[in-house]
Amino acid sequence: MSDTTVSPEGAESGKSEHIRQWLHSSPTAPQEYNEDVAGSGLLCPGKQGLVAQEERAESPSCLSMKSDHSMGQPINFHRGHGTRDKREGAESPTSSCVSMRSDRSMDPPINYKREFIPNRREGADSPTPSYLSMKSDQSMGPSSRMMTSDTTQLSIGGVHATMHTEHHGMNRVSNLREFPQRIEDWTKEHVKEWLISSLKLPEVATKLYEQDVSGASLVCIEKQDLTDFGVKFGPAIQIIKNVEILRNDLESVGRSMRSPESDPFRRQERFRFRAIPEARMGSHEETQDSDSVKSESVAPSLSSSWTSVEELRHSGSDVASPILLPMVESEYIPAYGNMEDNTRQSETSISSFDHLRETAPNLEKRICPPRPFDQNDLSFTYIQNDILPPESGPSNLIDPVHEYKLLPSTEEASEIDILEKFSNEVFRFSAACMNSRTNGTIHFGVTGGLGHMHGQVIGQNLPSFNMYTDRFDLHLKEHFGEETNIARSCIRPPKFFQVQRLDGATSDKWVIEVDVVPSYSQTQEKLFYTSIISEQNGEEYKTECLFIRQGPKSINILADNNPRSLQEKMRGLTEEVKCWSSARKSKEESNCQQPNQNHQGQRLKQLITHGRDTLENSLQVIVVTNKCHPSQHEHLGFLKEMKLFAVLEFDPESDMNGTCSFYRTDRIANLHYPRMYNTNDNVSTVIGKLNLFKQTSWVFCNGRANEVSEADRPFSSSEWLKKRAGEISDMVSFLCNPDVLSKDRLLVVFMLHSGVTDISSPILEAFCAIYRTLEGEDNMLCICKDSNVFSQWRDMINTRCKVDITSKCIYELSLTEIDCTIRKIKEPQTRSSRRYLPSSGSSSVLLTQKDEELMTVLDILSENECENTEIETKDSFEEFKTNTEEDFYRGGQVTWWNFYLSERPGCLPFIKRDKYEDLHNLITPTEGYTSPCIIINLFHHPGCGGTTLAMHVLWNLRCKFRCAVLKNTTAQNSEIAVQVRHLLTCGKEKQLSYSPVLLLVDNWEDVEDLQRCILSAANEKKKPDTLMVIILNCERSQIPAESSRNSRLDNVFMINKLSTKEQSFFEVKLKELKGHHQKPETFYAFMIMTNNFSEKYIKNLVCNTLKDLDTSRKEGQLFSLLALLNTYVNGSYMALSLCEDFVGIRNALWGKETLEDKMNPYSTLLIRFNIKEHGTYQAVRFLHQMIASNCLKVLTGKHKLQLGEITTSLLHCDLLYKSGMGKDILVQNIQSMLITRQRKELGHDKDTLFSPLIEDIQTDEGISQIKEVLVRATMRFDKNATLPQALARHFYLKEKDYISALQWAKDAQQKMYNSYIADTLGQVYKSHLKYEIERAEELTPEGLDKCLKLAFQATKAFRDSQELAKKDEPMDSLDLPNRKRQRTYNTSGYVGEMEVSMIVFDIIKDIPFFNKSDALQRNKMLQFLKNHLPVSDFHETTNSTNDQFIAVLSDHEKFLVSLKPRLKEMFSFFENYFTYLKPRSIEKETAEDRNKRKVSELFKKYIHIFCSSGEERASERASKPKLSLRQEIEEQRNYLEQKRADSFAGLLQYLNEKNGNQIELILKKWQFIVQNSTRKLMADRINFILANIVLHCVKQSSTLLKRYEELVSLLNEALREEGTNSNCTELYYLSMLLMWPRKDNLLESTTTFKNIGTYVTSSKKSFHRRFSHMFPAKSCIAHFYLGKSRGLRRIIHKGRLDQLLYKEGPKTSHKKASSKDRPPNPHQLWQSGAIWRDPEIQNLLQRVKGKTENSDIYVYYGGNLKISVRPVYLGGVRSGCSTEEVSFYLGFTMEGPVAYDIKYENDQ
């Protein structure tokens, strides 16, 4: 401001004329000033303020940067060579410029352009350097103190923004000089002092001090918090507002202090340099005779400036090109030369820029700060095409100058020349820096030549690092002579830094850097001469030089040939060196002062623990990281200690040599891509598929460098934005979904190992996606490598998200400090750091963490479980011990700690239940084991301690067995088997023997299938008679004693009743608890057992607790919902967070209020516990199911609530179904409560038509309430098909409302049409049909028509069910919510159709003209139903009613005549189903037996209708003694059908006949049919052959038997006719029985023998075509085995083997430890393989030899005959595809031959 300008003391009080006068004094002010703007308006201009004036003016808006010593006039940069007079008017053309605020501006706003303008002092033609005035701390004039505005309007290219000043807060900040810079780092003492000194609130300060309010707490406090403390409204508002203002002031001052321009030495240097009249922009090419290079010293300021402009560029402003901005913003200091040369060089520089813009338009440009000076950071890398800040002269001697060089390639120069160039440049630059006393770095691999941008990182191809370091060492003395030692201490050896490609992968190029540090202690005031070696005419010459840094160049003072001039220069240089040395010394001393106190360690603890004392294991951590140098991996150990949910990796080489590779050395991480999260699958499916929560998901967000597919390879930033940014956004949305991760348990850690300088950087995009999804940065922590990385990251985020991330960043701590800090604050470990497993010979092996993480479904019990844990060394151990015991005795799940603590000195041992010894003896029998994998069942009442007993046994056997508990209830058996095998072999892969595995599974339904899978997975480890796995299955049952009796497996059962001995144990334990715990009488689960499960005790407990319960309040409602769930769904629960939301608790995480407090006193009946299904979260349930059921009784009795009302409330509450942890499980439990029926075979005490809840609602409230509940359920779960299915069943079973039933059945059909829903639809029609029949008093034609239509619809639905059963999933949808998985084949459609057919037959019999007493009319009916007599033959003219009946029959004739053959087919289906196949588990046989009985009853009715009785047949034969042959054959067939001997499967059932008389008669019938039939049916011949085989097995002495050769001949004939592609499985089965080759077989020469292999293959193919859809539920039965005899005698049927077992039992002992006198269990003997060691069976059966090839077994017989044999158990053949000789016993199934008791010949 000029001296003549008059201004009031403060700008705020200025009148409009003062402002006008000031504005007219500015050369850049508008020509007209019409606004009446006072001082306050100037300081706070709006859109109508200064910007509006600028918009009216023809001159552009400008950005005034803070200046230290602003020059008197603005400098204008033009793109061309135009000039501007200082009196420039409105017509003068200028381009847009940027105006930023100044702290203490001396002059009017400064105007900037991209181009260069003359200096105002030199006139229009005077050249001047461009410069950028940065913000200053100092003031140059008095007027600057007046200009203190709050905001300044910023205008750039038409884009306006308001910028806040930093200067108002200077007084506030100056009072806090001794405080930490960030409020978050203040202690409670700082807070108290600030409140007293600044706000004058001593009383408030004392209150907050007493509450331990630190700075971190102060910034989180809200007004409500203060008023809660008793602070009045006024002071509360004052504190909140002042904290906000002070926080902004401190951050503003912090930015000022961080600016390089705040340094006074630099300001002086810049000011001095500007005064030099000779200014030029140096050329990018260096001339040899100048012997100079450019240098730079203001990199940080330029980087900061770049961010601002980049932000504006993205906002659409017309600012300078980012290619030119860095060059414009630097200062170029001239050395020697005249003004004209400088002007020409300036013009040349501009043309070079234009050329560069044209030649490299697509070059990616990033402003990148150089490596931190004099730091040996091996992890530092450069990114290809990054632009380093431009070169400039020395500044404050400490900030390094930089010089860029690009060495020639080996193609352009020899290796010697390259090294010579390298050494000369290094020592020239080093000497110049040493003489100028300035720090400096010379960079090789960075260019400034044509074709590249100045400072662009290119990189050098280096064949070897040693050649450069050796050259440096060898030539140092040659260049510096006597000063070599000083030079060696000042010049650092060369450092090499890799160049990273744009896609994130590493390249083979490097940047070489040499740092120069001329410390005062070494250089003093000396001058350093150096010798430059050159070669001329083959001779070497040494030239002595004295280099100094002047401006951007290194110049040689001795190059001046004028002695007088040289002498003056030397004299001046000597004085300057003294000044530089003194300045250097002063600067070094000032830099050695104690650094500011660092509080970032405390900040790290607060951020990473969410404000808690420790880093809890329940915290789910997502890490986002970029490339980390391998040298830093040793400091990343904390990552292995943390529970990482996912890592978003932006280093495409991480799995080869990066963080991922380091992590996977000790931990498991699955390599994923973002697209794997973006599927149409539901959340649970994705979690299960990717193993989330169990193993770390390492997501490569920019591909992997070692991928072959281009789609998965790394992309550049621009390509990534187009092709992958969307995937990242979708993945982040999934990860941050409340159903996946709860926000209050989530921490996102950004680890930035290198700077982020690109506004389109992928990792920055990831930050923005997470920021958007989490709605802020509250859950974030940013760990930056250093302050430079932090400043870039902060600026980028501020640009993109308009948020200051500083408070979430750690940047002053090294990785080592971070590593140790995080490890130190981790939650104390409750597991041993090194865990061991038992091994052979009483030895042990280490269980590594990596091995344990591979076994995701197993909770492994180690030998040293709970020993030497970290928690035992902490003061908190006693509290941990107390909580662990209280949690268990209150009703929590038992843990290994409970057993460990009971063994400590002074404690009573854990209570041993009576069944302990029985179970222990079963697991460790004295006689040994007979199978490599055995099953032991423990049946128990729910809540009686069955699982606790099993775990107690495991605990005491942990040193003998490798014990584990199956913790994933939804895992597939095949997956479990693989992990069990891993546990078996863990630590001793090549050992000959293995320590067996004891696996505890809870309520596992298909335990036998699990056994088969384990045998298959562990087959290569199997040794004869060596146990590998014991499966201990804890099976909940309402009838444990009955379940035990019905089980054919070894078992123990427990009931909810204590023995006298057990009661005494519990009473003693209660006394011990009273001595160690307060109120042990509130340990209600323990007390229930102590009182022997007394209903009276539980009833009194519940009544006393609930006497004041108010069910209208939220607490009472929640209590009733939990009681309902826990009563009807065992093991159900609700998430704790959901319960807190329900009762209105907010911020429970921070301890303001707990659910226990809110629910008191009813909370004493509840318990919170951890759920580890998908992550770890807390849930709530009742202590015991008996307590829940009694609470429900009190609610429905005393409180007059109804079950239907509570259920409707549960369905009506929207809060329960919002997104959140545990929602899916809750929904499944609610659905299960509504639809899952009870079945005896599943351990229930009865079979029910509906779920127990629905049954109870019907009993207590009537069927109308059921309708309301189920309708409401279908509205809540509108996509669920089983609820409308259940509603349809309710209507047709309970209300007889068939119209509504049909409507709901069709609704279910539309949602999901499977065999079960089709069966329900058929049942609706069938029930309606039966109802119509019962309602009708007599049958009418109309009634007949209606009934037949209903029967047709029912039959159609049942046939749909039969077809859908072949395609159904192997699980009933009704059982999906349960943990028990049903693998069944649904046959209800067949049974339903058969029942409908029988109903129709009963209807037909009631038609009047089919008189029951008239045999002729009855025969007519049968002939009609057999389709032998058309309905047209029934026409009668005498009876009109009969004609109407006949008309109805005619309408339905096609349907009616189809019933009888369909029945025949279905009976044949069941014969095959029951005979060829067997259930895969014992428990399913109960349900199958029920089906067998039902089918048998239907068959009897069928026989009664269609087959004549013996008396009728005798009477008919007497009346017609000469029956035709055809009639005789038909009579024989009717007899066989009646005896169920008309099919192959039916004949097989006669293998169990004792005397053989019946099968002998059956054979006679078949012989008559075969001999007398004119048409030789294939089925007749097959059945005749089988009848002979069956009769031979049952009664070998029968004279009716055909000779073996005759049967073979008959079979040969049939085989030739049928071929090998038929579906006649039975024919190929007979070929195996009769024609299985033997070495002395007479049939060896026949064609049939040679084709036996083909017939075996045909049998397998045809069987699969017919029955493969049943395989998930059934397995094949072997009815026959190969014996040692010949002919028919070599065919041994299974019943004969069973007889031997029942007669004497096996000769090898296999008795239960718990009941030694019990006869052996044949099923167990078959399952275990003990049968094959019985001597009688060994003498009876033929042991066949074969070979294993590719894991299959083949038998070879002569020539090329090769027959495939399937192992009957999957574990029979070792993996590895080894070709080995084996022997086995041969069985024959319809699928083909199978091998039993496989033994490897080499093992014998």
Side-chain angles (χ1 to χ4, degrees), residues 306 310 313-314 364-367 383 386 500-504 624-627 649-651 701-702 715-722 724-725 728 750-769 772 789 792-793 796-797 799-801:
W306 166 257
E310 185 70 11
R313 178 171 69 82
H314 280 273
E364 296 213 23
K365 298 159 282 293
R366 298 183 181 88
I367 295 300
I383 298 178
D386 268 0
Q500 187 176 308
R501 296 205 306 259
L502 293 175
D503 60 11
V624 188
T625 181
N626 56 8
K627 183 180 285 292
E649 179 64 79
F650 286 88
D651 173 16
C701 298
N702 190 21
F715 290 157
S716 63
S717 296
S718 57
E719 286 295 305
W720 187 91
L721 280 174
K722 290 186 288 186
R724 290 205 177 116
I728 297 296
F750 283 82
M751 296 197 62
L752 302 169
H753 301 284
S754 56
V756 178
T757 56
D758 188 357
I759 200 71
S760 60
S761 169
I763 197 171
L764 183 60
E765 289 296 322
F767 176 90
C768 295
R772 284 194 306 270
V789 172
Q792 296 168 36
W793 180 245
M796 285 291 174
I797 291 174
T799 300
R800 289 294 305 276
C801 303

Side-chain angles (χ1 to χ4, degrees), residues 1567-1578:
Q1567 186 169 349
F1568 179 83
I1569 293 172
V1570 170
Q1571 289 177 351
N1572 294 286
S1573 296
T1574 54
R1575 205 169 145 229
K1576 304 294 184 184
L1577 297 177
M1578 182 62 65

Side-chain angles (χ1 to χ4, degrees), residues 1193-1248:
K1193 290 177 183 177
V1194 172
L1195 290 169
T1196 55
K1198 176 182 177 181
H1199 295 278
K1200 307 302 180 185
L1201 291 178
Q1202 293 185 330
L1203 287 176
E1205 180 185 350
I1206 301 173
T1207 307
T1208 303
S1209 299
L1210 181 68
L1211 294 168
H1212 185 75
C1213 181
D1214 292 332
L1215 176 65
L1216 302 180
Y1217 307 97
K1218 293 173 65 177
S1219 295
M1221 301 296 288
K1223 187 200 78 172
D1224 290 345
I1225 300 296
L1226 176 62
V1227 168
Q1228 286 182 4
N1229 286 332
I1230 293 173
Q1231 291 178 357
S1232 175
M1233 180 176 66
L1234 292 168
I1235 62 181
T1236 303
R1237 294 171 279 176
Q1238 288 189 341
R1239 298 184 179 92
K1240 275 192 173 183
E1241 63 265 22
L1242 298 183
H1244 298 124
D1245 54 354
K1246 60 182 178 179
D1247 291 322
T1248 61

Side-chain angles (χ1 to χ4, degrees), residues 1644-1699:
E1644 285 188 5
S1645 59
T1646 65
T1647 305
T1648 303
F1649 171 78
K1650 296 177 181 177
N1651 291 335
I1652 185 64
T1654 305
Y1655 297 143
V1656 169
T1657 303
S1658 298
S1659 177
K1660 183 175 183 178
K1661 288 182 178 179
S1662 63
F1663 185 80
H1664 275 254
R1665 285 193 293 268
R1666 291 171 60 186
F1667 301 104
S1668 60
H1669 52 277
M1670 303 178 190
F1671 284 175
K1674 307 278 276 186
S1675 60
C1676 297
I1677 298 175
H1679 292 282
F1680 299 101
Y1681 296 84
L1682 185 66
K1684 291 182 176 180
S1685 300
R1686 301 186 180 185
L1688 291 177
R1689 290 194 303 274
R1690 70 195 294 234
I1691 303 174
I1692 309 298
H1693 69 101
K1694 182 178 182 293
R1696 187 173 175 187
L1697 303 182
D1698 288 336
Q1699 288 172 7

Side-chain angles (χ1 to χ4, degrees), residues 599-625:
H599 296 276
Q600 292 217 324
Q602 183 63 29
R603 182 192 296 178
L604 174 62
K605 294 177 184 177
Q606 291 175 349
L607 290 175
I608 205 166
T609 62
H610 278 194
R612 296 176 179 83
D613 296 330
T614 59
L615 176 58
E616 298 178 358
N617 292 326
S618 60
L619 198 66
Q620 298 292 343
V621 181
I622 297 177
V623 173
V624 188
T625 181

